[in-house]
Amino acid sequence: MNSINVQDFQMLLANQPVAILDIRDNTAFNEGHLSGSISMPTTSLPNRLNELDKETTYYVISHSGRRSDIIAQFLNNHGFDAMHVIGGMKAFRKEAA
């Protein structure tokens, strides 16, 4: 499984543009998200795969990282390049504080 810890993810974000796939629900996304994130809630994702590019690496983020692990595996199984952000937004916010 492809994954990245939050410290490495933050360094990556500081050095280059990346495609972030935020799979939290719309309410959580609207309450705060990483700049440039694509909002694609878990429930809608299977019906929206045609919106994703198989040539792009997606960094999948959820609230705590559990769902992003599952969704990254799902995407990888469907031919996409997806990285699970370990710890999700919760860890990202804690590390940024």
Side-chain angles (χ1 to χ4, degrees), residues 12 18-20 53-60 80-83:
L12 185 68
V18 297
I20 304 166
D53 180 3
K54 290 192 176 180
E55 301 300 316
T56 299
T57 299
Y58 292 97
Y59 292 84
V60 184
F80 295 93
D81 185 14
M83 298 285 288

Side-chain angles (χ1 to χ4, degrees), residues 58-94:
Y58 292 97
Y59 292 84
V60 184
I61 196 160
S62 61
H63 174 68
S64 66
R66 284 180 283 201
R67 282 180 297 132
S68 60
D69 185 18
I70 294 166
I71 293 299
Q73 288 179 32
F74 172 82
L75 290 171
N76 288 326
N77 289 340
H78 284 83
F80 295 93
D81 185 14
M83 298 285 288
H84 153 59
V85 179
I86 300 168
M89 286 297 293
K90 186 175 180 179
F92 188 89
R93 288 181 178 133
K94 183 178 179 182

